[in-house]
Amino acid sequence: DSRRDLWVHYGQELERTKVRRIALAVEQEALAFAEGERCVQLARLGGEARTVGVPLILTEADGGKVRTGALVACEEGDAGHGKRTPKRGLPRRKRPTTFREVITMDAREPGVTECTALDVLVPAAAPPGERARRMLALAGRVGLGSNTRSVGLGDMGSELASAFEEAFFDYPGSWWNADWKHTCDYVEAVRKVLSRRFDGMAWAKAMKDAIWNRDLAQRDALLAQARRHRVKVLPHELEKCPVAALKTYLTNNFKHMRFAELRALGLPFVSARAESQVRVRTKDRFCMAGAWCLENIEPKAMLRAIIADGRWEAFRSHVLAQHRDHFERALLARLARAVDEGRLSCAQVEALGLPNFSASADVARAA
């Protein structure tokens, strides 16, 4: 697409490899730009002075899978074994499929529909504590302050709940809440393995009411009832008994099931936004240069996040200013060297109209 656009609009034809290298360079710039924003917000939040922010921030997060893998030689039995590529005559290689997770985080004030703050993370390449660090920096971009209460929403996978608690332990009234849709899926899985002579619909409704109202006694009684009325032989496609899976899920995550409180606050209790955001980050195949390498997935996903939440112009200005500063530093260094060697005089350089050349030349010499 880039080659075609350059040819149509500018009449320039570039090699595909060069365009790919340009794309990789832009993605690395996006990664550095996002990290710079995080550092600014974390420095602000880490100060000793109290900060005044918005009353409430809703943070949603979810993980999606993308394909990765590096090319390896074909083994005997593979379709390309013993064959060569038509263009360069090299032995054909295969790409073993490996799935990696990309976590998409979204923070906003309640009632805001457009993307306000997005971030992405590849857990396989992230150091410990990076989930909590990015959640806190993301909330800082929305306006987190000492008076702000944060509420998290999403599924219970990817260590999101523990990361949220680590990030907002110093903000009273903040908690992570499970997704109601995922919870109902566990209940419906149990209903499908109940005996036909038993009223599974009524049982499912009673279980959902017990979870919604946080009724522990009713929850345990319904679990015991489901155990008694479960079919004797489970379908072969089930790896684990749905009743046992529901019991484990509720036991481990019941403190994160405060759906009625979310409803009272007027907040969503289904993380549909997080589900859609992560699909946007991962549904399109990463077919650009080096996309199959693990270290290149996050830069590409980060660039997509920057474009999605409206920071493209700020990112573009940052990159242009950064490269312009690099050019100016190189020019000043060459001019200062020419003055030192006697090939130019200060008057000749100042005649070029460079502001503050003397001070800038000293900095360039030191660099």
Side-chain angles (χ1 to χ4, degrees):
D1 292 342
S2 301
R3 291 180 65 196
R4 184 182 63 246
D5 291 344
L6 287 170
W7 172 254
V8 171
H9 295 290
Y10 303 104
Q12 298 180 0
E13 186 174 1
L14 294 179
E15 296 180 0
R16 183 180 181 87
T17 303
K18 187 172 183 179
V19 176
R20 286 178 171 178
R21 289 173 180 169
I22 293 173
L24 287 174
V26 173
E27 291 157 9
Q28 292 299 325
E29 295 280 3
L31 206 61
F33 173 75
E35 180 60 25
E37 287 189 333
R38 293 189 203 103
C39 292
V40 170
Q41 294 299 332
L42 292 173
R44 180 181 68 85
L45 297 173
E48 295 182 359
R50 287 182 57 83
T51 55
V52 179
V54 298
L56 182 64
I57 291 178
L58 180 63
T59 301
E60 297 186 47
D62 190 25
K65 292 183 178 180
V66 295
R67 295 170 60 190
T68 66
L71 286 171
V72 297
C74 292
E75 300 175 354
E76 188 174 355
D78 296 332
H81 180 67
K83 298 181 180 179
R84 294 185 173 272
T85 57
K87 186 174 181 180
R88 302 180 63 184
L90 299 176
R92 284 195 177 274
R93 295 182 293 173
K94 64 178 181 179
R95 197 185 306 275
T97 300
T98 304
F99 289 96
R100 298 296 185 185
E101 184 183 26
V102 175
I103 298 177
T104 302
M105 307 174 186
D106 177 15
R108 70 187 191 280
E109 293 184 66
V112 176
T113 57
E114 297 296 330
C115 299
T116 53
L118 286 173
D119 204 347
V120 297
L121 171 69
V122 179
E130 188 65 15
R131 292 177 177 85
R133 178 176 175 271
R134 297 199 182 191
M135 282 186 180
L136 188 61
L138 193 65
R141 284 173 48 197
V142 184
L144 180 68
S146 302
N147 62 313
T148 304
R149 180 171 57 166
S150 298
V151 177
L153 178 63
D155 57 35
M156 302 308 300
S158 306
E159 303 177 14
L160 295 174
S162 59
F164 184 88
E165 292 176 351
E166 179 184 352
F168 299 98
F169 74 95
D170 201 25
Y171 294 85
S174 301
W175 83 90
W176 179 268
N177 207 85
D179 177 53
W180 177 248
K181 175 64 169 57
H182 285 78
T183 306
C184 292
D185 289 342
Y186 276 92
V187 176
E188 291 299 321
V190 174
R191 183 184 65 82
K192 293 178 181 179
V193 298
L194 296 178
S195 174
R196 294 184 179 180
R197 292 175 294 178
F198 181 72
D199 191 353
M201 295 291 293
W203 177 90
K205 183 180 183 307
M207 176 58 79
K208 293 176 184 178
D209 291 340
I211 297 172
W212 184 274
N213 299 322
R214 297 183 58 80
D215 190 340
L216 290 175
Q218 180 69 4
R219 181 203 71 180
D220 295 339
L222 290 170
L223 284 172
Q225 189 181 34
R227 190 69 181 177
R228 292 194 303 268
H229 293 278
R230 197 203 73 179
V231 295
K232 294 183 179 180
V233 180
L234 291 173
H236 296 290
E237 62 270 13
L238 295 179
E239 297 181 359
K240 184 178 181 181
C241 172
V243 180
L246 176 62
K247 181 178 180 180
T248 302
Y249 181 76
L250 294 178
T251 303
N252 295 340
N253 306 312
F254 205 66
K255 68 175 182 178
H256 299 294
M257 297 180 181
R258 298 162 61 175
F259 304 107
E261 295 183 44
L262 290 182
R263 183 68 175 270
L265 292 172
L267 298 176
F269 47 86
V270 177
S271 60
R273 183 185 180 96
E275 298 282 348
S276 62
Q277 290 287 4
V278 79
R279 287 192 180 96
V280 171
R281 305 284 86 74
T282 59
K283 71 175 183 178
D284 294 330
R285 179 186 172 194
F286 288 97
C287 57
M288 293 77 71
W292 297 96
C293 300
L294 176 61
E295 61 272 14
N296 288 335
I297 289 180
E298 185 171 334
K300 297 178 187 302
M302 182 60 65
L303 186 59
R304 294 182 180 184
I306 289 174
I307 295 172
D309 67 359
R311 289 184 292 159
W312 171 256
E313 289 301 327
F315 168 65
R316 183 174 181 273
S317 301
H318 165 79
V319 174
L320 291 176
Q322 191 176 40
H323 285 273
R324 188 182 302 116
D325 292 343
H326 176 73
F327 171 78
E328 290 176 357
R329 287 195 301 269
L331 176 61
L332 290 173
R334 294 185 64 182
L335 291 175
R337 188 166 60 252
V339 171
D340 294 339
E341 294 174 356
R343 293 182 285 114
L344 287 175
S345 65
C346 291
Q348 289 176 316
V349 176
E350 291 174 358
L352 298 176
L354 295 176
N356 302 323
F357 169 72
S358 299
S360 302
D362 294 338
V363 175
R365 289 191 188 96

